[in-house]
Amino acid sequence: MAKQQNSLIYDEVLAANAHYADDFGDKSELALPPARGFAILTCMDARLDPAKYAGLAEGDAHVIRNAGGRASDDAIRSLVISHKLLGTRTWFVIHHTNCGMELFSDEVIGTLLEDDLETASFDGKQWSNPKHRGGHAHGHFIKWHTISNPEESVVQDVRRIREHPLVPPYIPIFGFIYDVKTGKLIEVETASAAGRPA
Ligand SMILES: [Zn+2]
């Protein structure tokens, strides 16, 4: 079943791309640096589409995504490149309601991975593995950047970026939460205050 599903998705992606490339038009003329000079750090959650929720077209802005939209070392690496080499001057950190990163702890995912690598299921309270074939203990050595409260996580991340020695003080960093029930961006005032340029 998994194999059939894989080849269906493979075909769908290539068909969609053929359609997209047919209408590519003057997007071939786009410059490398983002035309609107800003960057968004946000969660990889499939319900979030930054191009739609923030009104982006190809070439407009950088979008850096990871699980949670966290200001990990790698996210900061991208933001520093985004400004230093590609000229963005305004940054947004956008987490969201109902984030999957609120549903586990480092201990929980470490233990699940040690038991089995197959996709676990969540019953609304806890996670369990469908199989127990043995995974790997490596998960216990990773910092997963889970979230216990989305407002706190936005504040933490804006502060971490603000205080980074390679982030210049003149870049404003705004903190928001995207509401998956309404599609609205809600500003986290404490985060934006922490991200105010000096
Ligand atoms: Zn999320």
Side-chain angles (χ1 to χ4, degrees):
M1 189 195 95
K3 199 178 173 190
Q4 244 174 11
Q5 202 187 6
N6 285 344
S7 72
L8 178 63
I9 289 165
Y10 180 94
D11 293 344
E12 285 173 352
V13 167
L14 293 189
N17 179 253
H19 191 67
Y20 179 74
D22 279 346
D23 282 325
F24 202 60
D26 58 10
K27 287 195 280 288
S28 61
E29 308 300 319
L30 287 171
L32 194 163
R36 293 171 62 202
F38 72 102
I40 294 174
L41 169 60
T42 197
C43 184
M44 69 183 190
D45 191 299
R47 294 167 294 181
L48 276 58
D49 185 344
K52 290 181 182 155
Y53 77 54
L56 310 178
E58 290 90 337
D60 274 356
H62 283 144
V63 178
I64 299 144
R65 302 186 74 163
N66 63 32
R70 302 307 314 263
S72 60
D73 289 347
D74 194 65
I76 291 175
R77 175 186 70 89
S78 295
L79 286 169
V80 170
I81 291 170
S82 176
H83 168 66
K84 181 66 188 172
L85 302 182
L86 295 163
T88 65
R89 304 189 76 82
T90 304
W91 295 349
F92 293 82
V93 175
I94 305 178
H95 294 178
H96 65 101
T97 59
N98 193 230
C99 186
M101 297 294 280
E102 294 174 47
L103 304 180
F104 64 95
S105 62
D106 282 10
E107 177 61 27
V108 164
I109 190 169
T111 304
L112 286 166
L113 285 165
E114 190 171 12
D115 176 50
D116 197 282
L117 300 183
E118 186 54 81
T119 302
S121 60
F122 186 66
D123 67 6
K125 281 193 173 150
Q126 54 186 9
W127 291 93
S128 57
N129 277 328
K131 294 167 187 161
H132 310 279
R133 299 163 298 189
H136 200 282
H138 189 82
H140 289 298
F141 297 87
I142 292 178
K143 166 85 176 148
W144 296 92
H145 303 293
T146 60
I147 290 174
S148 51
N149 172 307
E151 289 184 13
E152 281 170 22
S153 65
V154 172
V155 174
Q156 280 171 4
D157 288 16
V158 168
R159 283 202 178 124
R160 180 158 199 253
I161 297 165
R162 175 84 292 151
E163 289 163 10
H164 195 280
L166 299 180
V167 171
Y170 50 80
I171 292 184
I173 310 163
F174 299 102
F176 280 86
I177 289 173
Y178 172 88
D179 185 338
V180 297
K181 294 289 176 210
T182 63
K184 286 186 179 162
L185 289 174
I186 301 147
E187 187 155 20
V188 179
E189 305 288 347
T190 322
S192 293
R196 210 172 277 142

